[in-house]
Amino acid sequence: MKYLVVALVMIYSSVWAEDYKLGDITVIEPFSYSTNGRSGAGYFTLTNDGPADILMAVTADFPRVMIHESLMQDGVMTMQHRTIVEVPERGEIEFGPGGYHVMFMGLDEGWAEGDEIEASLQFKNAGALDIKFVVIVRP
Ligand SMILES: [Cu+2]
């Protein structure tokens, strides 16, 4: 029974999530939450098995795409624009709710579960990595 559960979990996670690799950099399971609004956010875990690199930009087919970091300031959650994100040598960066995220602005229509949002991560050393954020329902 235990093995069946493990197998089902593995099948489930492989349906919506994919990893993307470029040299020493791996972007794990990029995802977004469904939205009816004019903006959406993208999340992933990024690991680096090599020397330090810099995430210089994220590009996608929306009017504005930025890297943001959510921070608590005087008890209020604010979003700050980050022009770059340093990727430490043999390190890991978490893009997730309440922290770093890719902000997509000026959406024509919302995102629904199962949509795939194409984007490209531009690294200073590694180059460009095309990924897809899979849209899931906010838990
Ligand atoms: Cu933001």
Side-chain angles (χ1 to χ4, degrees), residues 68 79 101 103:
H68 279 174
M79 291 198 294
H101 53 278
M103 199 87 211

Side-chain angles (χ1 to χ4, degrees), residues 9 16-17 20 35 37 41 45 52 58 60 66 69-70 72 82 89 105 108 123 139:
V9 166
W16 61 271
Y20 299 85
T35 175
T45 300
V58 181
M66 292 168 118
E69 186 176 13
S70 296
M72 272 302 224
R82 296 279 177 255
E89 179 180 351
M105 285 163 283
D108 284 334
F123 294 96

Side-chain angles (χ1 to χ4, degrees), residues 30-75:
F31 70 96
S32 297
Y33 290 131
S34 54
T35 175
N36 295 316
R38 299 272 294 159
S39 66
Y43 309 110
F44 50 76
T45 300
L46 191 159
T47 63
N48 179 17
D49 292 326
D53 205 335
I54 299 174
L55 177 60
M56 308 286 291
V58 181
T59 57
D61 193 16
F62 296 99
R64 281 206 297 163
V65 182
M66 292 168 118
I67 300 167
H68 279 174
E69 186 176 13
S70 296
L71 292 171
M72 272 302 224
Q73 267 185 343
D74 304 323

